[in-house]
Amino acid sequence: SNVGFMGFPLLLALAGTQAVLYAAIFQFLFSFLLYSYGITNISGRKAGESGFQWKRMINPGLIACVIAISSFFAKVDMPDFVDTVLKNLANLTAPLSMLVIGQSFTEFKLKELFTDVRLLVFTAIKMLVIPIAAMLLLKQWVTDATILTVCLVMLSTPVASMSATLA
């Protein structure tokens, strides 16, 4: 799901910073797998290569993930100006992503968006059926409202385009 761009701001507004922390842990695991295993698989094998290639695991996305989790567990205190800059950049995430999404809508034909039955069915399943079914299932074991809210938002956000971007 598009937890990073859409989910974090929504969770911050709905459930506060603790919910964003839970979502960030999930997002870290997703990013780590995407930038390691995902890139390795999507890049395929070159002629003469055999087996797993460790060199492909090292990339800027994976390095950023390792630095982020290391600084979190090491409880690295950032200077105030760095903290302010990072918070301001984080606050730009949602508006900038909306600009990109809005620009991409200029290339769509609105009639096709609302008459494509397969797209409408997929959207309904992804954004309604799966989150509702998952919530009914999760409520059997999870009692913490914050964790349920995080799960609901993560399951309800539209699909991310990272796989297509990497391809």
Side-chain angles (χ1 to χ4, degrees):
S1 292
N2 203 343
V3 176
F5 286 126
M6 299 180 82
F8 287 174
L10 189 57
L11 281 170
L12 186 60
L14 289 173
T17 55
Q18 185 178 12
V20 176
L21 175 64
Y22 293 150
I25 291 168
F26 169 82
Q27 186 66 26
F28 168 77
L29 294 171
F30 169 78
S31 295
F32 183 81
L33 286 171
L34 177 73
Y35 288 116
S36 58
Y37 182 72
I39 285 181
T40 301
N41 273 347
I42 206 164
S43 59
R45 290 188 182 153
K46 295 178 183 172
E49 284 184 348
S50 63
F52 185 79
Q53 301 292 315
W54 283 102
K55 290 188 289 187
R56 291 190 184 170
M57 294 279 288
I58 307 301
N59 58 68
L62 184 65
I63 292 168
C65 286
V66 171
I67 290 171
I69 199 73
S70 299
S71 61
F72 176 77
F73 283 118
K75 298 183 189 225
V76 175
D77 287 328
M78 294 290 180
D80 286 340
F81 76 93
V82 172
D83 192 44
T84 302
V85 168
L86 292 176
K87 283 182 182 175
N88 288 336
L89 284 173
N91 289 337
L92 283 173
T93 302
L96 289 177
S97 66
M98 293 300 116
L99 285 172
V100 170
I101 291 169
Q103 186 279 330
S104 69
F105 277 142
T106 62
E107 300 172 13
F108 294 141
K109 294 179 180 160
L110 287 178
K111 183 179 178 185
E112 289 179 17
L113 284 177
F114 294 107
T115 57
D116 186 343
V117 176
R118 289 181 59 201
L119 179 64
L120 293 173
V121 169
F122 173 77
T123 302
I125 291 170
K126 166 63 181 100
M127 298 181 76
L128 293 172
V129 175
I130 291 174
I132 291 169
M135 285 301 102
L136 292 173
L137 187 64
L138 285 174
K139 279 186 171 186
Q140 304 300 316
W141 298 283
V142 179
T143 57
D144 188 298
T146 304
I147 292 176
L148 286 171
T149 302
V150 170
C151 291
L152 179 63
V153 169
M154 289 189 319
L155 289 167
S156 299
T157 54
V159 295
S161 60
M162 195 61 191
S163 299
T165 302
L166 287 177

